[in-house]
Amino acid sequence: MTELSTESELFVATARAFLDKTAAISGQRELHAQGLSYQPAWWQRAAELGWAGLLVPEELGGGSVSGSGLHDLAAIAQAIGRTVGPGPLYPVSTVLAGLADADNADAHAESIAALVAGEQVATWAADEPGRPFRPHAPSATTTATVLATGTGYRLNGVKDRVEAGAQADLVLLGARTDDGALRQFLIRTDAPGVTVRPQTCVDLVKQYARIEFDDVEVEAAAVVGTAGQTAALIDRQAQVGIALACAESVGILDAVLALTIEWCRDRYSFGRPLASYQALKHRLADMTMWLHAARAITAGAVDKIAARTPDAGMWASAAKSYLGEHAGLLVQECIQLHGGIGVTWEHDLHVYLRRITLYSNLLGTPSEHHQAIFTAANTTEPAA
């Protein structure tokens, strides 16, 4: 990943200070006890720090410190991983990634401005019940119809595992039109015919929902992008989402391994620190190697996605599959090295493990991304 500039380092340092003060890991238990995912006022303060507008061009009210919004955003996600912070950074960012790139972005300028300011929350509904992650092949459908306000669509379908679905004001989803075209629509979650059903989640504060669409009237103005660019917008949204999930996972692994190394240095057994035992040194060395590899593959993916290179999708799949396979194992190893205290509710390790477990299958499982890499490698034309 490109080295952060002085301005970017200050931006990230401010974000870390904000998280340490307002979203310490102990605070996640308090939110969980209250049944909350995040405090809306907290997210608005985060948006005021510039978190929500990093992928939005300046002419639409956004902007980044370094000039590469994705690099700045990934650094924020990594900082969030340190405290397993709350907030809709991932759903809002993926939606804005699509809106900002859409040919009709100006038509959604009001929604973009509200999202950048933290006044509204949006989420991307890409998963469907009982199906793998295939955002390009939705079963949701729309039929062209005449509404009271003019021509539009009638939407039917179900979206599953939608982050912040119950907290979002807007939902971005893909559907097939009656002529078979793939389109995306930005819809209010309080629109008639939209039903939001909260779902349980392994994470303490992340909340998901099932959203049902029953003959929902959709105005033509709700369409995001042209038919020709919809697939590319979905690619971009998926890649941004994967980059953020991987960057946050790296932040989690960094924090967990630091906790474990400190524990092994301070904890004594038979008059010696645990870290002095050769077998444990080997395990810590293996985990350190996994962390460095996770950081490197994530940095590579962020670089490729930020540059919009043709192989960005394959790099995103490589990062997602590696983190999906190794991140959970690393945290489990750390729990084992902590002994009995590591499996208690009072210890913070399980809070990290819950988030890592959630991300392992979010936006595609490791096996699905292995298949995507195989497919991409075997469909790429050889160099001349």
Side-chain angles (χ1 to χ4, degrees):
M1 200 186 310
T2 305
E3 279 192 30
L4 295 177
S5 64
T6 303
E7 293 80 5
S8 295
E9 288 180 352
L10 179 59
F11 177 67
V12 174
T14 301
R16 291 181 63 159
F18 173 71
L19 287 165
D20 289 340
K21 183 177 180 180
T22 66
I25 191 168
S26 58
Q28 316 320 333
R29 289 184 176 83
E30 297 175 10
L31 286 172
H32 176 70
Q34 299 171 34
L36 297 176
S37 178
Y38 63 92
Q39 295 285 358
W42 180 89
W43 173 245
Q44 194 159 357
R45 289 175 63 189
E48 290 171 356
L49 292 175
W51 294 12
L54 293 171
L55 299 181
V56 178
E58 291 183 6
E59 58 268 24
L60 290 175
S64 64
V65 176
S66 68
S68 177
L70 186 60
H71 283 94
D72 292 340
L73 191 58
I76 295 298
Q78 188 169 333
I80 286 176
R82 292 174 56 251
T83 64
V84 201
L89 182 74
Y90 152 69
V92 169
S93 297
T94 50
V95 170
L96 283 172
L99 294 181
D101 276 12
D103 287 344
N104 64 342
D106 290 343
H108 297 285
E110 185 176 338
S111 295
I112 291 174
L115 294 174
V116 169
E119 296 168 357
Q120 290 186 345
V121 169
T123 185
W124 181 34
D127 276 304
E128 294 183 343
R131 302 181 66 190
F133 180 68
R134 291 178 182 169
H136 293 85
S139 63
T141 60
T142 61
T143 304
T145 187
V146 177
L147 308 176
T149 55
T151 58
Y153 303 86
R154 198 171 296 277
L155 171 67
N156 286 279
V158 179
K159 298 295 181 177
D160 200 32
R161 291 155 285 170
V162 182
E163 183 177 347
Q167 294 80 31
D169 305 284
L170 302 167
V171 57
L172 177 65
L173 71 149
R176 291 285 177 184
T177 60
D178 44 7
D179 60 358
L182 174 64
R183 305 304 299 271
Q184 287 199 111
F185 303 87
L186 187 67
I187 301 172
R188 290 198 61 84
T189 54
D190 59 359
V194 178
T195 303
V196 179
R197 304 184 188 279
Q199 295 176 307
T200 56
C201 179
V202 67
D203 193 86
L204 280 188
V205 296
K206 290 276 188 179
Q207 294 183 1
Y208 288 76
R210 171 188 174 106
I211 304 181
E212 302 169 359
F213 304 89
D214 185 12
D215 281 338
V216 179
E217 294 185 351
V218 181
E219 296 182 1
V223 176
V224 175
T226 62
Q229 73 167 161
T230 299
L233 291 178
I234 292 175
D235 281 339
R236 178 68 175 171
Q237 291 159 204
Q239 291 168 14
V240 167
I242 288 171
L244 295 184
C246 290
E248 186 177 336
S249 297
V250 169
I252 289 173
L253 298 183
D254 200 3
V256 168
L257 187 56
L259 278 174
T260 304
I261 291 175
E262 182 180 6
W263 169 265
C264 289
R265 285 173 175 168
D266 294 343
R267 188 72 173 178
Y268 278 65
S269 175
F270 299 104
R272 294 172 54 188
L274 291 178
S276 67
Y277 289 92
Q278 193 69 25
L280 298 189
K281 286 181 180 180
H282 289 166
R283 292 174 71 176
L284 291 170
D286 286 342
M287 289 188 287
T288 301
M289 180 186 68
W290 296 343
L291 171 61
H292 288 318
R295 182 182 286 116
I297 190 65
T298 298
V302 170
D303 287 344
K304 295 288 186 178
I305 295 168
R308 300 174 185 262
T309 61
D311 59 349
M314 187 162 66
W315 275 81
S317 288
K320 186 64 172 63
S321 59
Y322 186 86
L323 268 295
E325 290 179 335
H326 291 84
L329 180 59
L330 191 156
V331 180
Q332 290 281 11
E333 282 283 293
C334 289
I335 290 174
Q336 290 296 319
L337 289 176
H338 273 77
I341 189 65
V343 298
T344 63
W345 174 262
E346 289 76 17
H347 204 282
D348 291 336
L349 281 174
H350 78 94
V351 184
Y352 291 107
L353 178 62
R354 287 168 180 267
R355 183 68 56 88
I356 283 290
T357 302
L358 170 66
Y359 281 165
S360 66
N361 293 314
L362 186 69
L363 298 169
T365 64
S367 61
E368 289 170 12
H369 284 288
H370 281 309
Q371 182 62 45
I373 294 171
F374 175 83
T375 302
N378 285 275
T379 55
T380 302
E381 295 183 2

